[in-house]
Amino acid sequence: MSGEFTTARSEGGLLPPDLLQRIVGNDPELGGLAPKDYGLAATDRLGEAAARAWAKVKAYWAAFRAATADLPAAESGVTQTRQQWLLPLLRELGYGEAEYRAGAEIVGERRYLISHRAGPVPVHVESFRQDLDRAAPAASGQRRMSPHALLQEYLNVSEATYGLVSNGLRLRLLRDNASLTRQAYVEFDLEAMLDGGVWADFVLLYLVLHRSRLPRAGVEASQCWLEQWRAKAESQGTRALGELRKGVEAAITALGTGFLTHPANDDLRRRLASGELSVEGYYQQLLRLVYRLIFLFAAEERDLVFPAGADAANKRRYREHYAASRLRDMARKHLTDERHDDLWRALRVTFQLLSGERQGLGVPALGGGLFDAESCPELDGALLRNDALAEAMRYLSWVRVAKVTRRVNYRDMDAEELGGVYEGLLERQPQLLADPLQPRFEFVGSGQRKQTGSYYTPTPLVQELIRSALEPVIADRLKGAKTADERKQALLSITVCDPACGSGHFLLAAARRLADELARIEAGDAEPSPAQLRAALRQIIRHCLYGVDVNPLAVDLCKLALWLEGHDPGRPLTFLDHHVKLGNSLIGATWDLLAGGIPDVAFEPVTGDEKPIASAAKKRNRQERSGHLT
């Protein structure tokens, strides 16, 4: 998770890191952060209550470590984990009413052996020897499921909204996510937190997982503080995305003007003045540059730049000297630096590492259209002052929502949201103001969206398309497959092609649905673990997905979205080159229509067309259809 937390992470945006920062910062806009809201006296302080709990929790942890240090391998460790560590920890968090459940709960026709329950909140506690994402040994009549998968499926099919699962080393908060498209949870690394004495992360744990935050018996789950916080975060996240669209436009404007005004860029200005480089071509390069940065922000925050097992020293060097993310933190210091251009020169080295032009640090070349030398040739060869780059970084890194400035969370931003940012730019048309003393790049209104037929498909429509078009195909392919291997091969034989893929909204949804089915087959679980789901998603992206789009940047963005979603560090973008192609697959005609001649209505002018040219084309078409060829 980005930010100051080192032993806590949020997956799938359940509670975005920005929200967690606000909780720790006691943001009054959130509500629920007064001592009385935690069941404390009005004169008490949350920090002091957390400090008292921390002192006791450290003692419990030390006793647990001592009790399990020489535990024989034949013993499960369940009793030690529960009685000497997790139940005392939970008591300090207000779960004194947590009751042990010896028998399984039956929901529908399935049995769920959840160890404890605190009112409407299921709390599943396993041994420290049990991985949360690996299938646990099952009793007779029980399915083999990982602890995470067991609790997640239970939440999806029962009335419970939130639940906790832990093996003593890690503690996760899960939510019913049957309606979501990917795994979502908040995890605390208890081992790293307690061994490292990370007090700040314990404060976050105390504030977020305290019993007072979760649903109570007899009260609607929507009224608990976690749900209220989550709803506010979602609402503000939507507004933040709108502000980010404005920020991307402002960043492009700052970069466009910055390149135009740098004294060393005479060749760039000459090519634009002569028409060798069109304004639209210049804009496309600026847009690719911005998406290079956005991609790097997301990849770096998700730790996807290096493959697994990469040298830690190289990763540290990259983070401290080459990462685009470091420029986000430096931006405010260079907003008035008009004399130097070292930040841009350093960033070009990073681009060259990722394109494969330079070798070093063990950074695998990503390749792909966005980082090719042909992607931004004029910009890669030009210079940019620190103030212009810093201004662009500021616009890409910070948004202002409800009078509060917040850092953009690229780690948990959906790939669809990145596509939505691009879609907003289709409303704008670039232009240059060729003032010899102060040339400027800016935007005006545009009809590009209508001219190219570029429209962003909303999520409800995508989900309906998955239900009506993909679900029947999945059912049909699996109908005759009996073994797990046959079912796997049947799924991987499905081809999903979007002939106007844009930035990949539908393809991503299809990948998640197919990956969910594949993970269930491979794991034997009704609810796969996060690691199993990611592995399945990579297989689906490699074998099943194809797309075409007429817009070159949309093709690049679709590849980036699939690469980010597949979480495959170190694998180049070029492995998707034969899956997502540039081309126009939608000509809007049938063979019968062409046999009868193109109708005159096809030449009716639309926004941006020249009416005299359209009239001439219509007249010529009428003549040619009647047999009078020119």
Side-chain angles (χ1 to χ4, degrees):
M1 176 165 52
S2 59
E4 65 185 68
F5 308 118
T6 58
T7 67
R9 66 189 180 104
S10 175
E11 282 288 339
L14 174 58
L15 299 177
D18 177 62
L19 172 62
L20 300 182
Q21 295 281 2
R22 295 171 62 194
I23 293 171
V24 171
N26 197 21
D27 186 341
E29 185 186 348
L30 291 175
L33 289 167
K36 63 180 179 61
D37 297 318
Y38 283 79
L40 302 172
T43 55
D44 208 342
R45 294 183 179 180
L46 277 176
E48 294 175 353
R52 292 194 297 269
W54 176 242
K56 294 180 181 178
V57 164
K58 287 191 294 184
Y60 299 144
W61 176 254
F64 167 66
R65 282 299 215 192
T68 56
D70 299 316
L71 192 69
E75 293 192 31
S76 68
V78 172
T79 299
Q80 291 82 354
T81 306
R82 291 178 179 174
Q83 301 302 325
Q84 294 189 264
W85 169 227
L86 280 177
L87 292 181
L89 167 65
L90 290 171
R91 280 198 298 271
E92 294 303 320
L93 298 176
Y95 294 83
E97 86 276 35
E99 298 178 352
Y100 174 68
R101 297 295 181 93
E105 182 175 343
I106 300 176
V107 182
E109 298 180 354
R110 292 186 170 176
R111 296 162 55 83
Y112 298 91
L113 191 58
I114 306 295
S115 67
H116 293 75
R117 195 174 185 92
V121 180
V123 180
H124 188 49
V125 177
E126 285 282 0
S127 164
F128 72 97
R129 288 177 165 159
Q130 174 61 52
D131 191 310
L132 292 181
D133 292 327
R134 292 187 181 276
S140 177
Q142 293 286 326
R143 291 172 298 149
R144 292 187 72 247
M145 301 182 72
S146 70
H148 180 108
L150 173 68
L151 181 60
Q152 186 63 73
E153 183 179 301
Y154 175 76
L155 291 173
N156 291 351
V157 300
S158 71
E159 297 297 321
T161 303
Y162 284 97
L164 300 176
V165 61
S166 180
N167 61 358
L169 306 181
R170 296 178 183 273
L171 174 60
R172 290 178 182 172
L173 169 72
L174 277 63
R175 185 188 183 279
D176 164 23
N177 75 345
S179 62
L180 302 180
T181 56
R182 57 175 176 164
Q183 295 277 359
Y185 59 91
V186 176
E187 179 181 273
F188 293 88
D189 187 336
L190 299 176
E191 184 177 27
M193 182 189 300
L194 272 297
D195 284 349
V198 188
W199 153 249
D201 286 12
F202 180 77
V203 173
L204 174 67
L205 185 153
Y206 185 90
L207 295 176
V208 171
L209 297 190
H210 192 275
R211 181 66 186 89
S212 60
R213 309 298 91 186
L214 276 68
R216 294 252 181 213
V219 181
E220 286 288 331
S222 61
Q223 298 304 306
C224 79
W225 284 115
L226 275 184
E227 277 296 274
Q228 292 186 54
W229 289 347
R230 183 171 171 270
K232 287 181 180 179
E234 285 186 348
S235 172
Q236 292 175 350
T238 301
R239 283 182 281 166
L241 182 60
E243 292 302 312
L244 179 58
R245 290 182 180 182
K246 298 176 185 176
V248 169
E249 182 177 322
I252 293 173
T253 302
L255 291 170
T257 300
F259 280 112
L260 286 175
T261 56
H262 194 288
N265 295 339
D266 289 333
D267 187 59
L268 173 64
R269 288 185 288 271
R270 179 191 62 77
R271 288 174 59 80
L272 282 166
S274 68
E276 292 179 58
L277 174 63
S278 68
V279 176
E280 181 64 29
Y282 182 52
Y283 166 55
Q284 289 296 323
Q285 292 190 39
L286 291 168
L287 194 52
R288 288 192 186 99
L289 172 57
V290 165
Y291 266 93
R292 280 182 181 180
L293 294 171
I294 290 176
F295 168 76
L296 281 176
F297 296 156
E300 289 169 1
E301 290 189 12
R302 299 178 189 187
D303 196 21
L304 298 179
V305 174
F306 288 85
D311 182 71
N314 281 339
K315 294 177 72 172
R316 177 181 53 78
R317 290 188 190 100
Y318 177 87
R319 183 174 60 253
E320 294 177 356
H321 303 290
Y322 298 93
S325 301
R326 76 185 181 94
L327 297 181
R328 301 176 70 187
D329 301 320
M330 297 170 64
R332 293 184 175 183
K333 301 176 184 177
H334 293 274
L335 285 172
T336 58
D337 182 5
E338 300 179 0
R339 299 176 55 195
H340 305 98
D341 49 31
D342 55 295
L343 296 183
W344 171 248
R345 292 175 186 269
L347 187 59
R348 286 196 309 190
V349 173
T350 303
F351 292 158
Q352 290 163 1
L353 281 171
L354 293 167
S355 69
E357 186 179 343
R358 284 177 181 257
Q359 306 295 321
L361 297 181
V363 177
L366 291 176
L370 203 61
F371 288 95
D372 284 347
E374 296 79 16
S375 175
C376 306
E378 273 77 22
L379 304 189
D380 287 340
L383 291 177
L384 183 68
R385 295 192 313 269
N386 286 350
D387 61 334
L389 181 57
E391 183 180 4
M393 285 289 183
R394 181 169 61 87
Y395 283 126
L396 295 175
S397 301
W398 304 88
V399 293
R400 189 166 179 82
V401 180
K403 299 182 179 180
V404 178
T405 300
R406 298 196 174 98
R407 187 180 173 99
V408 177
N409 170 28
Y410 285 104
R411 184 189 187 280
D412 292 307
M413 184 178 290
D414 276 341
E416 293 94 333
E417 293 177 325
L418 295 179
V421 170
Y422 159 70
E423 177 249 4
L425 293 171
L426 294 173
E427 300 284 5
R428 311 293 282 156
Q429 181 71 31
Q431 72 173 16
L432 295 183
L433 296 182
D435 185 330
L437 297 178
Q438 189 65 35
R440 289 205 317 275
F441 176 91
E442 63 181 24
F443 286 103
V444 293
S446 169
Q448 183 182 3
R449 181 202 295 268
K450 188 171 182 180
Q451 291 176 37
T452 60
S454 299
Y455 291 91
Y456 189 67
T457 310
T459 297
L461 190 55
V462 168
Q463 293 303 321
E464 173 57 28
L465 191 56
I466 295 294
R467 187 195 66 78
S468 61
L470 183 58
E471 295 280 0
V473 174
I474 294 174
D476 182 66
R477 292 292 175 91
L478 295 178
K479 191 185 304 178
K482 297 180 180 179
T483 68
D485 188 62
E486 288 176 349
R487 292 170 66 82
K488 174 182 175 180
Q489 295 307 317
L491 276 179
L492 293 178
S493 71
I494 294 175
T495 298
V496 178
C497 181
D498 188 342
C501 62
S503 54
H505 195 179
F506 170 73
L507 288 178
L508 283 169
R512 290 168 181 160
R513 176 63 187 91
L514 287 167
D516 182 65
E517 195 71 39
L518 179 59
R520 292 174 191 273
I521 293 170
E522 293 202 314
D525 288 351
E527 182 64 39
S529 72
Q532 292 162 344
L533 192 56
R534 284 194 294 270
L537 193 55
R538 288 195 289 267
Q539 292 188 70
I540 293 298
I541 290 173
R542 286 199 297 266
H543 291 93
C544 303
L545 303 186
Y546 297 87
V548 181
D549 202 275
V550 71
N551 190 311
L553 187 67
V555 171
D556 287 343
L557 294 181
C558 185
K559 291 178 186 177
L560 293 180
L562 293 175
W563 190 91
L564 286 170
E565 192 70 13
H567 289 74
D568 206 353
R571 191 174 182 86
L573 288 164
T574 48
F575 89 95
L576 288 166
D577 283 353
H578 71 289
H579 282 255
V580 186
K581 292 284 191 178
L582 175 66
N584 189 347
S585 61
L586 300 179
I587 62 172
T590 65
W591 288 115
D592 291 340
L593 180 64
L594 292 176
I598 301 175
D600 292 343
V601 70
F603 297 92
E604 290 293 336
V606 297
T607 303
D609 286 345
E610 296 287 344
K611 290 185 178 180
I613 295 176
S615 298
K618 182 189 293 186
K619 179 179 180 181
R620 175 177 172 175
N621 179 66
R622 189 182 304 116
Q623 293 172 341
E624 293 179 354
R625 196 171 63 242
S626 64
H628 298 287
L629 301 179
T630 59

